[in-house]
Amino acid sequence: MLSSKRPSPIPSPQTVEFWKASAERKFMVPRCRACNRSHWYPRPFCPHCYSQDVALEKASGRGKVYSFTVLTKDKSIVAYVKLDEGPIMLTSIVDTDPEKIGIGSEVTVTFQPTEDGTLVPLFRGA
Ligand SMILES: [Zn+2]
């Protein structure tokens, strides 16, 4: 509905691989090979142990609403989603009735195009 107005990401050397996978509807989450913990967002080091041995892994695409708000202007849902892999991600919940979302609601990844057609991972009610 408002997806055509969603701004497009500007890939950096640290995120180009993430956006390439996203274009193929693959949601990738970085995992550290030193401490084996996942983190969000993609960056060249682990925020838990500072190792630079991090790699993107295909994520389950599942998570639970940790916190959310419904914008009064257009009823869009902005949420923190706790991914099954562990990290908490600031995102939008789309194609979902706000009345059916609560803390702990299960959500799954979905992909929507931005203004230039780049697919970005968002979430919807499971
Ligand atoms: Zn680590």
Side-chain angles (χ1 to χ4, degrees), residues 32 34-36 46 48-51:
C32 172
C35 73
N36 203 35
C46 170
H48 305 295
C49 75
Y50 304 108
S51 166

